[in-house]
């Protein structure tokens, strides 16, 4: 199995299946379902993203699809798409949009770093926030 292959489980995954995925060369696991063994899997370096957790075990027939488009939460994910996740969640970037999204993300990161620096230096203009509050009837 190569890193370009996608395996999708539809319900519950735990320590055994995540170790299996890691040993097979997958880069991570995204489950539209729950995880068990959260303490073991969570302390691993292997990325696993799920909707929740449970103490229930998985089902042997929970393997859904291999190497095909899948839909998770109403989003279609295709082979070659870039999956990026962190503690805030997971996004799927269509392969054709990867360069554009990377450029846009870098521009946003630079803008936000500049804003954070201005806030820390005390030079950030909060006027737009005050004006928006006044427009809504708040006293500043």
């Amino acid at each position: 199995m190569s890193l370009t292959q996608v395996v999708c489980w539809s319900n519950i995954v735990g320590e055994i299946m995540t170790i299996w995925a890691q040993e097979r060369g997958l880069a991570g696991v995204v489950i539209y379902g729950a995880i068990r063994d959260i303490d073991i899997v969570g302390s691993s370096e292997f990325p696993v993203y799920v909707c929740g957790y449970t103490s229930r075990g998985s089902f042997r027939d929970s393997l859904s699809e291999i190497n095909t488009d899948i839909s998770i939460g109403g989003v279609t994910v295709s082979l070659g798409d870039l999956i990026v996740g962190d503690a805030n969640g997971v996004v799927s970037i269509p392969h054709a949009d990867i360069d554009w999204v990377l450029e846009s993300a870098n521009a946003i990161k630079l803008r936000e770093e500049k804003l954070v620096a201005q806030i820390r230096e005390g030079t950030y203009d909060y006027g737009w926030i005050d004006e928006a509050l006044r427009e809504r009837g708040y006293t500043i």
Side-chain angles (χ1 to χ4, degrees):
M1 188 174 289
S2 71
L3 290 177
T4 58
Q5 290 179 313
V6 174
V7 177
C8 175
W9 291 278
S10 60
N11 61 18
I12 300 169
V13 67
E15 176 186 17
I16 302 292
M17 293 308 291
T18 55
I19 290 173
W20 173 86
Q22 186 175 19
E23 292 300 315
R24 295 297 297 257
L26 274 70
V29 173
V30 177
I31 303 292
Y32 192 59
I35 189 171
R36 58 174 277 130
D37 307 320
I38 194 168
D39 54 339
I40 296 167
V41 177
S43 66
S44 164
E45 296 285 325
F46 188 70
V48 177
Y49 299 96
V50 297
C51 296
Y53 58 92
T54 184
S55 60
R56 294 181 50 201
S58 61
F59 308 101
R60 294 205 182 271
D61 64 350
S62 65
L63 184 63
S64 299
E65 302 289 337
I66 297 176
N67 287 339
T68 187
D69 291 355
I70 58 172
S71 178
I72 297 181
V75 175
T76 299
V77 180
S78 301
L79 288 174
D81 290 354
L82 177 62
I83 309 300
V84 180
D86 64 14
N88 295 300
V90 177
V91 296
S92 171
I93 303 166
H95 185 266
D97 296 337
I98 291 173
D99 290 337
W100 174 81
V101 170
L102 182 60
E103 288 176 26
S104 298
N106 282 330
I108 291 167
K109 180 181 178 191
L110 290 173
R111 186 178 74 239
E112 289 182 354
E113 286 174 348
K114 181 179 175 183
L115 290 173
V116 167
Q118 289 174 343
I119 291 168
R120 289 194 171 134
E121 295 165 359
T123 60
Y124 183 72
D125 180 8
Y126 293 95
W128 68 272
I129 298 172
D130 295 343
E131 182 61 31
L133 290 171
R134 278 190 211 93
E135 287 175 4
R136 289 169 177 81
Y138 295 101
T139 303
I140 308 279

